[in-house]
Amino acid sequence: MEKSARRGPKPNMQMRERIIEAGLKEIHANGFAATGIQKIVDDIKVPKGSFYNYFDSKEAFGAEVSDRYSEQALARLVGFLADSDKPPLRRLKAYFDDRAASFALRGHTQGCVLGNFSAETVDHSELIRQHVAAHFSRWSEVIAACLAEAQRGGTLTSELSAGTLADFILNTWEGALLRMRAERSGAPLETFKQMVFDVLLHSKSH
Amino acid sequence: MEKSARRGPKPNMQMRERIIEAGLKEIHANGFAATGIQKIVDDIKVPKGSFYNYFDSKEAFGAEVSDRYSEQALARLVGFLADSDKPPLRRLKAYFDDRAASFALRGHTQGCVLGNFSAETVDHSELIRQHVAAHFSRWSEVIAACLAEAQRGGTLTSELSAGTLADFILNTWEGALLRMRAERSGAPLETFKQMVFDVLLHSKSH
DNA sequence: TAATTAAAGACGACCGGTCATATATTTATT
DNA sequence: AATAAATATATGACCGGTCGTCTTTAATTA
């Protein structure tokens, strides 16, 4: 049985992309509840009605926005961790240094979209909760792989599982971002790096 | 110079209290942006217009709600840390055990009001940001005093400053709460306790 | 009585979401 | 090949509801 080919105009994927990108920008800056569909479509000069040709609801759209954010962040993380010139813990530290510098440029605002969804939305949308949880898990896995490499290389003690360490580091980073925004200061990020890299992951060969 | 006595009806302080308590409950459950004034006053059968007799704006009200939450949380924290039967780190652990049990009863939802404000509101309200930052600092000071006592007692190494440790622990707790909500699981809180008490604050006398 | 406050509801703006209509593209029928 | 039918997107008006605020009225005291 062959499913019938679609009819009608080609779906304008470029428009779908533009809506997601505009939504990501607005939601990152203003939060999910405070961001209206109208504002998103106004940003890119698209009529409001078009939005619902591409997304079933604001909730479904939010889930896709979280997907997009996670993809971008994960790509950057993987980019840093793939730099095989450095030892694994150096690569991980370079990533957080890069993020800290980026947040400094933004005046220590906005934080992480997944963290924002976690605080604002996950209690009220099972769909978004599942997406956010899956993205966090994926990030953690990537960090855990880096830590496991350090353990195999002997620069990190193997007493603790790489997975547990990675989860803790990720959660701790999210908490540091919250405090960064409350204080409007990079100090919490510096404390994070000091505690994680100089104490928690303290190299035996140092 | 004597300031003139007030005129008009007696301010109904009981009503003010009731509005703050109702607002705290709603904002904790649904977030600041998603909580309407109407919902708050409906909860306690008060006409909407009355709200603005007691508060200049939703923003000013939010700042007071954060104050109330911080007072309550701080009172509980101080209560646990004042229990002089136990050594200081045990008292601190007992507090987090209590909070973890409380969040389990709520199905691992809602989290911390200050964390929620940090994610949702501090970028857009300098007033609320200053209140939240001050409350975090106060909490951190109380934890730092407990850690300093442990350092004086020799159960905690003094290599790191109690203040830096306290900030890190507080931020890390907030991050664990975010992850708890995303996963709807107490596991991040357990990881937090393991990492903080068994690794970071690892007692020399153990 | 004059001043000052709280009580209360009206208000305009905007929200997310829906719908009717118009237009564009593909398939089915001839 | 021509054309009708079917199905998709494009678009903005519109819905009930809620937003934060303001204005008016009633109450209380100097």
Side-chain angles (χ1 to χ4, degrees):
Chain A
M1 184 165 67
E2 186 182 3
K3 82 175 172 188
S4 64
R6 66 172 304 288
R7 302 185 189 190
K10 297 175 192 168
N12 188 342
M13 278 305 160
Q14 198 174 350
M15 166 141 322
R16 198 169 203 286
E17 290 299 300
R18 286 170 63 216
I19 296 175
I20 291 176
E21 285 297 327
L24 174 54
K25 199 173 296 183
E26 287 290 340
I27 288 170
H28 197 175
N30 302 314
F32 185 65
T35 297
I37 306 299
Q38 189 71 63
K39 183 82 171 298
I40 294 169
V41 295
D42 283 355
D43 282 357
I44 51 176
K45 270 88 175 176
V46 166
K48 183 178 176 181
S50 293
F51 179 90
Y52 285 95
N53 293 330
Y54 296 97
F55 306 100
D56 289 342
S57 63
K58 192 190 184 189
E59 181 187 18
F61 177 69
E64 288 213 42
V65 164
S66 83
D67 295 347
R68 171 61 51 91
Y69 179 80
S70 178
E71 284 165 23
Q72 293 177 355
L74 196 59
R76 178 156 36 218
L77 175 61
V78 168
F80 274 90
L81 297 189
D83 174 6
S84 51
D85 289 348
K86 295 175 188 160
L89 294 185
R90 291 280 175 112
R91 307 200 290 256
L92 188 60
K93 176 139 193 309
Y95 172 76
F96 288 116
D97 284 337
D98 175 77
R99 298 329 302 148
S102 172
F103 282 116
L105 287 176
R106 296 192 216 191
H108 304 109
T109 61
Q110 299 198 161
C112 168
V113 169
L114 296 194
N116 299 349
F117 271 121
S118 296
E120 213 195 328
T121 314
V122 296
D123 285 356
H124 313 289
S125 166
E126 179 63 13
L127 175 68
I128 289 177
R129 187 188 75 73
Q130 286 175 358
H131 280 246
V132 168
H135 298 322
F136 272 143
S137 291
R138 189 77 194 94
W139 292 8
S140 180
E141 283 171 16
V142 171
I143 294 172
C146 179
L147 297 179
E149 184 183 339
Q151 287 177 328
R152 285 195 304 273
T155 57
L156 173 64
T157 173
S158 296
E159 286 165 19
L160 295 160
S161 90
T164 301
L165 269 173
D167 274 330
F168 179 70
I169 290 170
L170 176 55
N171 300 350
T172 291
W173 173 251
E174 291 292 331
L177 291 180
L178 284 190
R179 190 76 181 278
M180 169 196 82
R181 297 172 71 185
E183 310 275 7
R184 272 232 218 297
S185 154
L189 305 188
E190 294 306 312
T191 300
F192 163 87
K193 289 192 288 183
Q194 178 193 347
M195 288 291 176
V196 167
F197 289 99
D198 297 346
V199 181
L200 187 70
L201 303 180
H202 183 254
S203 168
K204 300 270 173 172
S205 67
H206 226 230
Chain B
M1 186 164 70
E2 186 181 4
K3 81 176 173 189
S4 64
R6 65 173 306 288
R7 302 186 188 188
K10 298 175 192 168
N12 187 343
M13 278 303 159
Q14 198 173 351
M15 167 142 321
R16 197 185 153 81
E17 290 297 301
R18 288 170 62 217
I19 297 175
I20 290 176
E21 284 297 327
L24 174 54
K25 199 173 299 184
E26 287 290 339
I27 288 170
H28 197 175
N30 301 314
F32 184 65
T35 297
I37 306 300
Q38 187 73 62
K39 184 82 171 298
I40 295 169
V41 296
D42 283 354
D43 283 356
I44 52 177
K45 271 88 176 176
V46 166
K48 184 177 178 182
S50 294
F51 178 90
Y52 286 94
N53 295 327
Y54 297 98
F55 305 99
D56 287 343
S57 64
K58 192 190 184 190
E59 180 187 17
F61 177 69
E64 287 213 43
V65 165
S66 83
D67 294 347
R68 171 62 51 92
Y69 179 80
S70 178
E71 284 166 23
Q72 294 177 356
L74 197 59
R76 177 157 36 215
L77 175 61
V78 168
F80 274 89
L81 297 190
D83 175 6
S84 52
D85 289 348
K86 295 176 188 158
L89 293 186
R90 291 278 176 112
R91 306 199 290 257
L92 188 60
K93 177 140 194 308
Y95 172 75
F96 287 117
D97 284 338
D98 174 77
R99 296 330 302 149
S102 172
F103 281 116
L105 287 177
R106 295 192 216 192
H108 304 108
T109 61
Q110 297 198 162
C112 167
V113 169
L114 295 194
N116 299 350
F117 271 121
S118 296
E120 214 195 329
T121 315
V122 296
D123 285 356
H124 312 289
S125 165
E126 178 64 12
L127 175 69
I128 290 178
R129 188 189 74 74
Q130 286 174 359
H131 279 246
V132 168
H135 297 324
F136 272 143
S137 291
R138 188 80 194 92
W139 292 9
S140 181
E141 283 171 16
V142 171
I143 294 171
C146 179
L147 296 179
E149 185 183 338
Q151 287 177 329
R152 286 194 304 273
T155 58
L156 174 63
T157 175
S158 296
E159 285 165 18
L160 296 159
S161 90
T164 301
L165 269 173
D167 274 329
F168 180 71
I169 289 169
L170 175 55
N171 299 349
T172 291
W173 173 250
E174 292 292 331
L177 290 180
L178 284 190
R179 190 76 182 277
M180 169 196 82
R181 298 172 70 186
E183 310 274 7
R184 273 234 217 295
S185 155
L189 306 188
E190 294 306 310
T191 299
F192 163 87
K193 289 192 288 183
Q194 177 193 348
M195 288 291 176
V196 167
F197 289 99
D198 298 346
V199 181
L200 187 69
L201 304 179
H202 184 254
S203 167
K204 300 271 171 169
S205 65
H206 223 229

